[in-house]
Amino acid sequence: MSDQVVLEKALKPNEKWRIVKNVGAIGLAFMMYFIAYSGAANLQSSINAEAGLGTMSLASIYAGVLISNIFLSGFVLKWLGTKSAMWCSLIIYVPFIASQMHARFYTLIPAAFLLGLASGPLWCAMCTYLSVAADAYSTLSKISAGVILQRFFGFFYTFYQTGQIWGNLISSLVLSTNNKASITTINDSMIPQLCGANFIVDTNASIALPTQPPEKILMLTGVYLAFLLASVLVVALGLDSMKRYEPYRKNTGNRLSGIALLAASMKLFTEVDQLLFVIIYIFLGIQQAFMSADFTASFVSCAIGTGSVGYVMMAFGVTDAMGCVLTGYLAKLFGRLPLVISALITHMGVILMLLLWRPHAGDYHVMVIIAVVWGLCDSVWLAQMNSYCGVIFHGKEEAAFPNIRLCEGVGFMIAYMLSSYVRTRYKIYMLLGTLIVGISGYFILEYKHRSAETVEQKIKGDKIENRQEPMFLEIQCDKSTVL
């Protein structure tokens, strides 16, 4: 009896639904944590703009992310296990949210750095769990593990990005209610000169971005803390241990941990496939940081008021979540490459528009349209690039996914460190440049693997044609038995 048949019999009849439940539990938990984190992070450049405190805290987060992905992820997953690593990491997010009640350099920066340290194990554990669950589901469904993994990531990011909706809705409802400070204080005629691509936080923030009442910040913090603690409970009580699906993992070879896993992650950077991924993932970090910090401060808060940030970013979250659902079905119908090309053309168009457009006080609808289009593009980048990495490095997920987060963290940290001191125009140039270079690497990777698959199929075809008829019939019988 083959190993495949043994594994199928070991799984219970309702196991497919249980796997879906576990993927849903992860999605729900990450949605609730993202309600808290995104709501707070998107406001940092607006409510904590003085002396660049908000953007410095965001840069500190991704400094911690870099260290975490290099040194901590493998050790934490080995020490705690995948499930425990998730809920323990989520608990470490609490100080950052709580420090919003007394935002100072000595409270916010250390809490942000601690959050960054927890981020690596959290996301590495999530990606690893989904990959292993996809292998188990593939065993039952007879569908390719790569296809299942793509669907799981689409399903996960659908839940995850809806957190952007609720987090920003909460912030806008709180900040815009009976609060004149949420409206920009500069004269309407000054907006085209000060806001948009011309904006620079270090110079213009004190003029264009008013402070918020302490009671509003206290109310926001309490709501966000409740959601964050709820996400911890969902993982701790609602998620099965990954050990349940460990036997069904394919092509893993020897499991790595500790120093060996760190060495494997670093060794991947010597492989051409990993190097071709690097810049596109740095771009993913830069574009997400630009949207949450620079777009919200330079365009939204400056032109139409801080109270509108949540509503605009809610539109971004809605389309990002919907896009993550659609991208899985569209990839099945048309393939991954047409989706990526469409996102590339659209995203480049929006980036060029931000360079040329001068916002005005009544341009609320334009802000929403930009957020909607950006969200659709982001959904393609997130779902397709993560799933493609899972396909390329199948069996090496625990080494590959920390590298993804490492590259994204570099992008985030670069963007946030520059945010307070560099004019928005130059950050848009950087965004456009990393997109062009990164997508070039992706196209090379696609061409390389498609060519390799074509050659492999041709070799297999030649071998079958050269075999004798009895051997050919035997192969056909073996295939029918498995199917």
Side-chain angles (χ1 to χ4, degrees):
M1 186 178 294
S2 67
D3 292 341
Q4 181 78 6
V5 175
V6 171
L7 291 177
E8 290 175 22
K9 289 186 175 182
L11 289 168
K12 296 179 180 180
N14 65 342
E15 195 65 35
K16 285 200 293 186
W17 290 109
R18 186 155 186 163
I19 294 171
V20 171
K21 182 271 294 182
N22 286 323
V23 175
I26 293 176
L28 179 62
F30 273 67
M31 179 194 74
M32 289 191 292
Y33 121 72
F34 198 48
I35 287 173
Y37 174 72
S38 69
N42 289 338
L43 290 170
Q44 289 304 303
S45 60
S46 298
I47 64 174
N48 294 321
E50 187 177 354
L53 173 59
T55 51
M56 284 300 295
S57 71
L58 296 174
S60 299
I61 288 174
Y62 289 95
V65 168
L66 295 182
I67 296 173
S68 175
N69 281 286
I70 295 174
F71 299 109
L72 294 181
S73 295
F75 292 104
V76 172
L77 261 65
K78 173 64 177 177
W79 176 38
L80 296 177
T82 306
K83 175 183 172 178
S84 295
M86 273 191 262
W87 67 261
C88 288
S89 297
L90 287 170
I91 289 177
I92 300 176
Y93 277 60
V94 170
F96 176 75
I97 303 299
S99 64
Q100 304 301 318
M101 291 184 286
H102 188 70
R104 302 290 186 274
F105 276 93
Y106 60 84
T107 59
L108 200 56
I109 301 302
F113 183 72
L114 190 64
L115 184 153
L117 293 180
S119 176
L122 175 66
W123 281 85
C124 185
M126 180 276 296
C127 291
T128 301
Y129 196 106
L130 291 187
S131 297
V132 174
D135 278 333
Y137 196 95
S138 175
T139 301
L140 288 169
S141 64
K142 307 297 193 303
I143 301 174
S144 166
V147 172
I148 297 297
L149 183 60
Q150 188 177 66
R151 292 178 185 176
F152 280 2
F153 270 115
F155 185 67
F156 166 79
Y157 277 112
T158 300
F159 269 89
Y160 178 69
Q161 291 298 344
T162 56
Q164 182 96 249
I165 303 169
W166 312 121
N168 289 299
L169 177 61
I170 292 167
S171 70
S172 281
L173 289 174
V174 171
L175 295 179
S176 62
T177 303
N178 298 322
N179 183 17
K180 293 181 180 179
S182 66
I183 307 300
T184 181
T185 58
I186 63 176
N187 188 282
D188 288 355
S189 62
M190 298 170 61
I191 290 176
Q193 285 74 42
L194 291 177
C195 303
N198 291 325
F199 189 84
I200 179 168
V201 173
D202 195 42
T203 303
N204 301 343
S206 60
I207 302 173
L209 305 180
T211 57
Q212 296 296 321
E215 62 270 18
K216 300 290 186 181
I217 303 301
L218 184 63
M219 185 185 302
L220 271 179
T221 301
V223 175
Y224 289 155
L225 282 174
F227 276 105
L228 186 56
L229 293 175
S231 71
V232 174
L233 293 177
V234 169
V235 174
L237 303 178
L239 186 67
D240 291 326
S241 171
M242 199 183 74
K243 292 178 181 179
R244 182 183 186 87
Y245 304 117
E246 200 68 28
Y248 313 105
R249 194 171 186 183
K250 302 171 185 176
N251 303 323
T252 55
N254 295 323
R255 299 299 310 282
L256 300 175
S257 61
I259 296 296
L261 181 57
L262 173 61
S265 295
M266 294 299 100
K267 186 178 180 181
L268 279 183
F269 280 115
T270 65
E271 297 184 11
V272 174
D273 286 354
Q274 181 72 88
L275 292 175
L276 290 172
F277 262 127
V278 167
I279 303 300
I280 192 62
Y281 277 106
I282 291 177
F283 162 75
L284 293 188
I286 292 175
Q287 64 95 14
Q288 290 177 71
F290 180 88
M291 195 63 184
S292 65
D294 296 298
F295 180 71
T296 55
S298 304
F299 290 87
V300 183
S301 289
C302 184
I304 61 177
T306 305
S308 300
V309 169
Y311 292 124
V312 172
M313 293 304 290
M314 187 172 66
F316 170 79
V318 169
T319 51
D320 211 334
M322 292 174 60
C324 287
V325 176
L326 293 174
T327 189
Y329 292 102
L330 292 176
K332 183 179 179 181
L333 291 174
F334 304 108
R336 176 177 52 250
L337 192 57
L339 278 180
V340 172
I341 293 174
S342 299
L344 170 65
I345 295 171
T346 306
H347 214 156
M348 287 186 69
V350 176
I351 292 171
L352 292 172
M353 176 189 170
L354 292 180
L355 275 174
L356 303 174
W357 176 51
R358 296 293 176 266
H360 294 78
D363 286 341
Y364 184 90
H365 64 288
V366 182
M367 307 285 186
V368 172
I369 291 172
I370 292 172
V372 165
V373 176
W374 202 290
L376 290 173
C377 294
D378 187 56
S379 68
V380 175
W381 299 131
L382 289 176
Q384 297 306 313
M385 293 303 164
N386 277 283
S387 61
Y388 191 45
C389 182
V391 171
I392 296 297
F393 297 106
H394 190 54
K396 300 178 182 178
E397 296 92 346
E398 289 177 334
F401 283 124
N403 290 349
I404 291 175
R405 294 294 296 168
L406 174 64
C407 294
E408 282 191 50
V410 170
F412 274 105
M413 192 168 69
I414 291 172
Y416 288 139
M417 289 181 69
L418 297 177
S419 184
S420 297
Y421 311 105
V422 177
R423 197 172 298 277
T424 301
R425 175 180 309 280
Y426 301 113
K427 286 176 274 190
I428 296 174
Y429 288 142
M430 178 179 65
L431 193 64
L432 187 60
T434 53
L435 173 57
I436 293 171
V437 175
I439 205 66
S440 300
Y442 164 77
F443 285 146
I444 294 171
L445 196 60
E446 281 277 13
Y447 176 78
K448 175 186 173 185
H449 282 271
R450 285 171 185 256
S451 299
E453 288 174 5
T454 302
V455 171
E456 185 178 352
Q457 290 172 1
K458 185 177 183 304
I459 292 173
K460 287 182 179 179
D462 291 341
K463 286 182 178 180
I464 291 176
E465 289 178 2
N466 293 331
R467 287 179 178 176
Q468 296 177 354
E469 188 68 20
M471 182 65 73
F472 178 77
L473 292 174
E474 184 180 345
I475 292 172
Q476 294 296 91
C477 291
D478 288 343
K479 283 186 177 181
S480 66
T481 302
V482 174
L483 296 175

